[in-house]
Short mmCIF file of all heavy atoms in Angstrom, two decimals:
data_model
loop_
_atom_site.label_atom_id
_atom_site.label_comp_id
_atom_site.label_asym_id
_atom_site.label_seq_id
_atom_site.Cartn_x
_atom_site.Cartn_y
_atom_site.Cartn_z
N TRP A 91 -64.55 128.00 -6.52
CA TRP A 91 -63.95 128.04 -5.18
C TRP A 91 -63.41 126.66 -4.80
O TRP A 91 -64.15 125.70 -4.69
CB TRP A 91 -65.01 128.47 -4.15
CG TRP A 91 -64.44 128.80 -2.80
CD1 TRP A 91 -64.46 128.02 -1.68
CD2 TRP A 91 -63.74 130.00 -2.46
NE1 TRP A 91 -63.84 128.66 -0.65
CE2 TRP A 91 -63.38 129.89 -1.09
CE3 TRP A 91 -63.38 131.15 -3.14
CZ2 TRP A 91 -62.69 130.88 -0.42
CZ3 TRP A 91 -62.69 132.14 -2.48
CH2 TRP A 91 -62.35 132.01 -1.14
N GLU A 92 -62.09 126.57 -4.65
CA GLU A 92 -61.43 125.35 -4.17
C GLU A 92 -61.88 124.12 -4.95
O GLU A 92 -62.37 123.14 -4.39
CB GLU A 92 -61.67 125.16 -2.66
CG GLU A 92 -61.07 126.28 -1.82
CD GLU A 92 -61.33 126.09 -0.34
OE1 GLU A 92 -62.10 125.16 0.02
OE2 GLU A 92 -60.77 126.86 0.46
N ASN A 93 -61.70 124.16 -6.27
CA ASN A 93 -62.05 123.05 -7.18
C ASN A 93 -63.52 122.69 -7.13
O ASN A 93 -63.90 121.56 -7.49
CB ASN A 93 -61.20 121.81 -6.85
CG ASN A 93 -59.72 122.07 -7.03
OD1 ASN A 93 -59.30 122.71 -8.00
ND2 ASN A 93 -58.92 121.61 -6.07
N ASP A 94 -64.35 123.60 -6.69
CA ASP A 94 -65.80 123.37 -6.65
C ASP A 94 -66.48 124.69 -6.99
O ASP A 94 -65.88 125.59 -7.58
CB ASP A 94 -66.21 122.86 -5.26
CG ASP A 94 -67.60 122.23 -5.24
OD1 ASP A 94 -68.27 122.21 -6.29
OD2 ASP A 94 -68.03 121.79 -4.16
N GLU A 95 -67.72 124.82 -6.61
CA GLU A 95 -68.47 126.05 -6.81
C GLU A 95 -69.24 126.35 -5.54
O GLU A 95 -69.80 125.45 -4.91
CB GLU A 95 -69.44 125.89 -8.00
CG GLU A 95 -70.24 127.14 -8.30
CD GLU A 95 -71.14 126.95 -9.52
OE1 GLU A 95 -72.27 126.46 -9.36
OE2 GLU A 95 -70.70 127.30 -10.64
N ARG A 96 -69.24 127.62 -5.16
CA ARG A 96 -70.05 128.01 -4.01
C ARG A 96 -71.06 129.06 -4.47
O ARG A 96 -70.86 129.78 -5.45
CB ARG A 96 -69.18 128.57 -2.89
CG ARG A 96 -68.44 129.86 -3.21
CD ARG A 96 -67.64 130.33 -2.01
NE ARG A 96 -66.97 131.62 -2.27
CZ ARG A 96 -66.23 132.26 -1.37
NH1 ARG A 96 -66.06 131.74 -0.16
NH2 ARG A 96 -65.67 133.42 -1.66
N ILE A 97 -72.17 129.15 -3.74
CA ILE A 97 -73.25 130.06 -4.11
C ILE A 97 -73.03 131.42 -3.45
O ILE A 97 -72.81 131.51 -2.23
CB ILE A 97 -74.62 129.48 -3.69
CG1 ILE A 97 -74.88 128.17 -4.44
CG2 ILE A 97 -75.73 130.48 -3.98
CD1 ILE A 97 -76.14 127.46 -3.98
N VAL A 98 -73.11 132.45 -4.28
CA VAL A 98 -73.07 133.82 -3.80
C VAL A 98 -74.45 134.42 -3.98
O VAL A 98 -75.01 134.39 -5.09
CB VAL A 98 -72.03 134.65 -4.57
CG1 VAL A 98 -72.09 136.11 -4.16
CG2 VAL A 98 -70.63 134.08 -4.36
N LEU A 99 -75.02 134.95 -2.92
CA LEU A 99 -76.34 135.55 -2.96
C LEU A 99 -76.24 137.05 -2.72
O LEU A 99 -75.63 137.48 -1.73
CB LEU A 99 -77.26 134.92 -1.91
CG LEU A 99 -78.68 135.49 -1.82
CD1 LEU A 99 -79.48 135.15 -3.07
CD2 LEU A 99 -79.39 134.96 -0.57
N LEU A 100 -76.81 137.83 -3.63
CA LEU A 100 -76.85 139.29 -3.49
C LEU A 100 -78.31 139.69 -3.31
O LEU A 100 -79.18 139.26 -4.09
CB LEU A 100 -76.26 139.95 -4.72
CG LEU A 100 -74.84 139.51 -5.10
CD1 LEU A 100 -74.43 140.07 -6.44
CD2 LEU A 100 -73.84 139.91 -4.02
N VAL A 101 -78.58 140.52 -2.31
CA VAL A 101 -79.96 140.88 -2.00
C VAL A 101 -80.15 142.39 -2.01
O VAL A 101 -79.26 143.15 -1.63
CB VAL A 101 -80.40 140.31 -0.62
CG1 VAL A 101 -80.43 138.80 -0.65
CG2 VAL A 101 -79.50 140.81 0.50
N GLN A 102 -81.32 142.79 -2.49
CA GLN A 102 -81.74 144.19 -2.39
C GLN A 102 -82.71 144.29 -1.22
O GLN A 102 -83.71 143.58 -1.17
CB GLN A 102 -82.43 144.64 -3.69
CG GLN A 102 -82.94 146.08 -3.64
CD GLN A 102 -83.76 146.43 -4.87
OE1 GLN A 102 -83.98 145.59 -5.75
NE2 GLN A 102 -84.23 147.66 -4.93
N LEU A 103 -82.41 145.16 -0.28
CA LEU A 103 -83.19 145.25 0.95
C LEU A 103 -84.24 146.34 0.87
O LEU A 103 -84.12 147.30 0.09
CB LEU A 103 -82.26 145.54 2.13
CG LEU A 103 -81.13 144.53 2.36
CD1 LEU A 103 -80.23 144.99 3.50
CD2 LEU A 103 -81.69 143.13 2.64
N GLU A 104 -85.26 146.20 1.67
CA GLU A 104 -86.27 147.25 1.79
C GLU A 104 -85.64 148.47 2.47
O GLU A 104 -84.63 148.34 3.18
CB GLU A 104 -87.45 146.73 2.61
CG GLU A 104 -88.24 145.63 1.91
CD GLU A 104 -89.40 145.14 2.75
OE1 GLU A 104 -89.54 145.59 3.91
OE2 GLU A 104 -90.17 144.28 2.26
N PRO A 105 -86.20 149.66 2.24
CA PRO A 105 -85.64 150.87 2.87
C PRO A 105 -85.51 150.71 4.38
O PRO A 105 -86.38 150.14 5.05
CB PRO A 105 -86.68 151.95 2.51
CG PRO A 105 -87.31 151.46 1.25
CD PRO A 105 -87.36 149.96 1.37
N ASN A 106 -84.40 151.19 4.91
CA ASN A 106 -84.09 151.18 6.35
C ASN A 106 -83.83 149.78 6.91
O ASN A 106 -83.73 149.61 8.13
CB ASN A 106 -85.22 151.86 7.15
CG ASN A 106 -85.46 153.28 6.70
OD1 ASN A 106 -84.52 154.03 6.45
ND2 ASN A 106 -86.73 153.65 6.57
N GLN A 107 -83.74 148.79 6.03
CA GLN A 107 -83.43 147.43 6.48
C GLN A 107 -81.92 147.21 6.43
O GLN A 107 -81.26 147.64 5.48
CB GLN A 107 -84.13 146.41 5.59
CG GLN A 107 -83.81 144.96 5.91
CD GLN A 107 -84.41 144.50 7.22
OE1 GLN A 107 -85.60 144.66 7.45
NE2 GLN A 107 -83.58 143.94 8.10
N GLN A 108 -81.35 146.53 7.41
CA GLN A 108 -79.93 146.23 7.45
C GLN A 108 -79.71 144.73 7.26
O GLN A 108 -80.51 143.92 7.72
CB GLN A 108 -79.33 146.67 8.80
CG GLN A 108 -79.43 148.16 9.07
CD GLN A 108 -78.59 148.98 8.11
OE1 GLN A 108 -77.46 148.61 7.77
NE2 GLN A 108 -79.14 150.11 7.65
N LEU A 109 -78.62 144.39 6.55
CA LEU A 109 -78.26 142.98 6.41
C LEU A 109 -77.42 142.58 7.62
O LEU A 109 -76.18 142.65 7.60
CB LEU A 109 -77.50 142.74 5.11
CG LEU A 109 -77.17 141.27 4.82
CD1 LEU A 109 -78.43 140.46 4.58
CD2 LEU A 109 -76.23 141.16 3.62
N ASP A 110 -78.09 142.21 8.67
CA ASP A 110 -77.38 141.81 9.89
C ASP A 110 -77.39 140.28 10.01
O ASP A 110 -77.92 139.57 9.16
CB ASP A 110 -78.01 142.46 11.11
CG ASP A 110 -79.51 142.18 11.22
OD1 ASP A 110 -80.00 141.22 10.58
OD2 ASP A 110 -80.20 142.93 11.95
N GLY A 111 -76.79 139.81 11.07
CA GLY A 111 -76.70 138.37 11.28
C GLY A 111 -78.05 137.69 11.36
O GLY A 111 -78.22 136.55 10.91
N THR A 112 -79.03 138.39 11.93
CA THR A 112 -80.38 137.80 12.06
C THR A 112 -80.99 137.54 10.69
O THR A 112 -81.57 136.47 10.45
CB THR A 112 -81.29 138.74 12.88
OG1 THR A 112 -80.71 138.94 14.17
CG2 THR A 112 -82.68 138.16 13.01
N LEU A 113 -80.86 138.53 9.77
CA LEU A 113 -81.45 138.37 8.44
C LEU A 113 -80.69 137.31 7.64
O LEU A 113 -81.31 136.49 6.94
CB LEU A 113 -81.45 139.70 7.70
CG LEU A 113 -82.14 139.71 6.32
CD1 LEU A 113 -83.57 139.20 6.42
CD2 LEU A 113 -82.12 141.11 5.73
N VAL A 114 -79.36 137.29 7.74
CA VAL A 114 -78.58 136.27 7.04
C VAL A 114 -78.96 134.88 7.53
O VAL A 114 -79.13 133.94 6.74
CB VAL A 114 -77.07 136.52 7.22
CG1 VAL A 114 -76.26 135.34 6.68
CG2 VAL A 114 -76.65 137.80 6.50
N ASN A 115 -79.12 134.72 8.81
CA ASN A 115 -79.52 133.42 9.37
C ASN A 115 -80.92 133.03 8.91
O ASN A 115 -81.19 131.85 8.65
CB ASN A 115 -79.46 133.45 10.90
CG ASN A 115 -78.04 133.46 11.41
OD1 ASN A 115 -77.12 133.02 10.73
ND2 ASN A 115 -77.84 133.97 12.63
N ALA A 116 -81.80 134.03 8.78
CA ALA A 116 -83.16 133.75 8.29
C ALA A 116 -83.12 133.25 6.85
O ALA A 116 -83.86 132.32 6.48
CB ALA A 116 -84.02 135.00 8.40
N ILE A 117 -82.26 133.87 6.05
CA ILE A 117 -82.11 133.44 4.65
C ILE A 117 -81.61 132.00 4.59
O ILE A 117 -82.17 131.15 3.88
CB ILE A 117 -81.14 134.38 3.91
CG1 ILE A 117 -81.74 135.77 3.75
CG2 ILE A 117 -80.75 133.79 2.55
CD1 ILE A 117 -80.75 136.82 3.27
N ARG A 118 -80.56 131.72 5.32
CA ARG A 118 -79.97 130.39 5.28
C ARG A 118 -80.92 129.33 5.85
O ARG A 118 -81.02 128.22 5.31
CB ARG A 118 -78.64 130.40 6.04
CG ARG A 118 -77.56 131.16 5.27
CD ARG A 118 -76.26 131.29 6.02
NE ARG A 118 -75.20 131.77 5.13
CZ ARG A 118 -74.11 132.38 5.53
NH1 ARG A 118 -73.92 132.62 6.83
NH2 ARG A 118 -73.20 132.78 4.66
N SER A 119 -81.63 129.68 6.90
CA SER A 119 -82.58 128.74 7.49
C SER A 119 -83.73 128.44 6.53
O SER A 119 -84.15 127.28 6.40
CB SER A 119 -83.12 129.32 8.80
OG SER A 119 -84.12 128.49 9.34
N GLN A 120 -84.23 129.47 5.86
CA GLN A 120 -85.32 129.29 4.90
C GLN A 120 -84.90 128.35 3.77
O GLN A 120 -85.64 127.44 3.39
CB GLN A 120 -85.74 130.65 4.33
CG GLN A 120 -86.84 130.60 3.29
CD GLN A 120 -88.21 130.45 3.90
OE1 GLN A 120 -88.37 130.45 5.13
NE2 GLN A 120 -89.22 130.30 3.06
N LEU A 121 -83.72 128.56 3.22
CA LEU A 121 -83.26 127.73 2.11
C LEU A 121 -82.95 126.31 2.56
O LEU A 121 -83.22 125.34 1.84
CB LEU A 121 -82.03 128.38 1.46
CG LEU A 121 -82.30 129.65 0.67
CD1 LEU A 121 -81.00 130.36 0.30
CD2 LEU A 121 -83.10 129.34 -0.59
N ARG A 122 -82.40 126.18 3.76
CA ARG A 122 -82.07 124.84 4.25
C ARG A 122 -83.33 124.03 4.49
O ARG A 122 -83.41 122.84 4.13
CB ARG A 122 -81.25 124.94 5.54
CG ARG A 122 -80.78 123.59 6.08
CD ARG A 122 -79.93 123.73 7.33
NE ARG A 122 -78.62 124.32 7.03
CZ ARG A 122 -78.27 125.56 7.31
NH1 ARG A 122 -79.12 126.38 7.92
NH2 ARG A 122 -77.08 126.02 7.00
N SER A 123 -84.34 124.66 5.08
CA SER A 123 -85.55 123.92 5.44
C SER A 123 -86.49 123.70 4.25
O SER A 123 -87.12 122.65 4.15
CB SER A 123 -86.31 124.65 6.56
OG SER A 123 -86.74 125.93 6.11
N GLN A 124 -86.57 124.68 3.36
CA GLN A 124 -87.51 124.59 2.25
C GLN A 124 -86.91 123.97 0.99
O GLN A 124 -87.64 123.50 0.12
CB GLN A 124 -88.06 125.98 1.91
CG GLN A 124 -88.85 126.62 3.04
CD GLN A 124 -90.03 125.78 3.47
OE1 GLN A 124 -90.81 125.30 2.63
NE2 GLN A 124 -90.18 125.58 4.78
N CYS A 125 -85.57 123.99 0.89
CA CYS A 125 -84.91 123.41 -0.29
C CYS A 125 -83.96 122.30 0.14
O CYS A 125 -84.37 121.15 0.23
CB CYS A 125 -84.17 124.51 -1.06
SG CYS A 125 -85.26 125.80 -1.73
N SER A 126 -82.72 122.65 0.44
CA SER A 126 -81.76 121.66 0.92
C SER A 126 -80.52 122.40 1.42
O SER A 126 -80.33 123.58 1.11
CB SER A 126 -81.36 120.71 -0.21
OG SER A 126 -80.40 121.32 -1.06
N PRO A 127 -79.65 121.72 2.16
CA PRO A 127 -78.40 122.38 2.58
C PRO A 127 -77.55 122.86 1.40
O PRO A 127 -76.79 123.82 1.54
CB PRO A 127 -77.68 121.28 3.37
CG PRO A 127 -78.79 120.42 3.89
CD PRO A 127 -79.82 120.40 2.79
N ARG A 128 -77.68 122.20 0.24
CA ARG A 128 -76.92 122.61 -0.94
C ARG A 128 -77.35 123.98 -1.45
O ARG A 128 -76.58 124.65 -2.14
CB ARG A 128 -77.09 121.58 -2.05
CG ARG A 128 -76.42 120.26 -1.79
CD ARG A 128 -74.92 120.36 -1.89
NE ARG A 128 -74.26 119.06 -1.76
CZ ARG A 128 -72.96 118.89 -1.70
NH1 ARG A 128 -72.16 119.95 -1.76
NH2 ARG A 128 -72.43 117.69 -1.58
N HIS A 129 -78.56 124.40 -1.15
CA HIS A 129 -79.07 125.68 -1.62
C HIS A 129 -78.58 126.86 -0.78
O HIS A 129 -78.76 128.01 -1.16
CB HIS A 129 -80.61 125.69 -1.59
CG HIS A 129 -81.24 124.82 -2.63
ND1 HIS A 129 -81.23 123.44 -2.57
CD2 HIS A 129 -81.92 125.13 -3.77
CE1 HIS A 129 -81.87 122.94 -3.60
NE2 HIS A 129 -82.30 123.95 -4.35
N VAL A 130 -77.97 126.58 0.36
CA VAL A 130 -77.57 127.64 1.28
C VAL A 130 -76.35 128.38 0.73
O VAL A 130 -75.33 127.75 0.40
CB VAL A 130 -77.26 127.07 2.67
CG1 VAL A 130 -76.76 128.17 3.60
CG2 VAL A 130 -78.50 126.39 3.25
N PRO A 131 -76.41 129.70 0.61
CA PRO A 131 -75.28 130.44 0.04
C PRO A 131 -74.09 130.50 1.00
O PRO A 131 -74.27 130.58 2.21
CB PRO A 131 -75.86 131.83 -0.20
CG PRO A 131 -76.97 131.96 0.79
CD PRO A 131 -77.55 130.58 0.92
N ALA A 132 -72.90 130.48 0.39
CA ALA A 132 -71.69 130.64 1.20
C ALA A 132 -71.49 132.10 1.58
O ALA A 132 -70.98 132.40 2.66
CB ALA A 132 -70.48 130.14 0.41
N LEU A 133 -71.90 133.01 0.68
CA LEU A 133 -71.77 134.44 0.92
C LEU A 133 -73.10 135.12 0.65
O LEU A 133 -73.81 134.78 -0.31
CB LEU A 133 -70.71 135.05 0.00
CG LEU A 133 -69.26 134.54 0.13
CD1 LEU A 133 -68.40 135.19 -0.95
CD2 LEU A 133 -68.71 134.82 1.51
N VAL A 134 -73.43 136.10 1.50
CA VAL A 134 -74.61 136.93 1.29
C VAL A 134 -74.18 138.39 1.41
O VAL A 134 -73.56 138.79 2.41
CB VAL A 134 -75.72 136.65 2.33
CG1 VAL A 134 -76.95 137.50 2.03
CG2 VAL A 134 -76.08 135.16 2.35
N HIS A 135 -74.47 139.19 0.38
CA HIS A 135 -74.13 140.61 0.39
C HIS A 135 -75.37 141.42 0.03
O HIS A 135 -76.22 140.97 -0.76
CB HIS A 135 -73.03 140.93 -0.62
CG HIS A 135 -71.69 140.38 -0.27
ND1 HIS A 135 -70.96 140.84 0.80
CD2 HIS A 135 -70.93 139.41 -0.85
CE1 HIS A 135 -69.81 140.18 0.86
NE2 HIS A 135 -69.77 139.31 -0.14
N ALA A 136 -75.45 142.61 0.57
CA ALA A 136 -76.52 143.55 0.22
C ALA A 136 -76.01 144.49 -0.86
O ALA A 136 -74.88 144.98 -0.79
CB ALA A 136 -76.97 144.33 1.44
N ILE A 137 -76.85 144.75 -1.87
CA ILE A 137 -76.54 145.72 -2.92
C ILE A 137 -77.74 146.64 -3.10
O ILE A 137 -78.86 146.33 -2.67
CB ILE A 137 -76.16 145.05 -4.25
CG1 ILE A 137 -77.24 144.06 -4.69
CG2 ILE A 137 -74.81 144.37 -4.14
CD1 ILE A 137 -76.95 143.39 -6.03
N SER A 138 -77.52 147.78 -3.74
CA SER A 138 -78.56 148.81 -3.82
C SER A 138 -79.69 148.45 -4.78
O SER A 138 -80.81 148.94 -4.64
CB SER A 138 -77.95 150.15 -4.25
OG SER A 138 -77.36 150.04 -5.54
#
């Protein structure tokens, strides 16, 4: 991506769980606080 690399994260959700803004923010916050800002994915998608 644009002469660099960005992280794409694909997640499998628990039944009846939706990938909404709250869950995406929780993912990004967890990675930022426990790892580093570099670990935060640019894209998050749900797959089966």
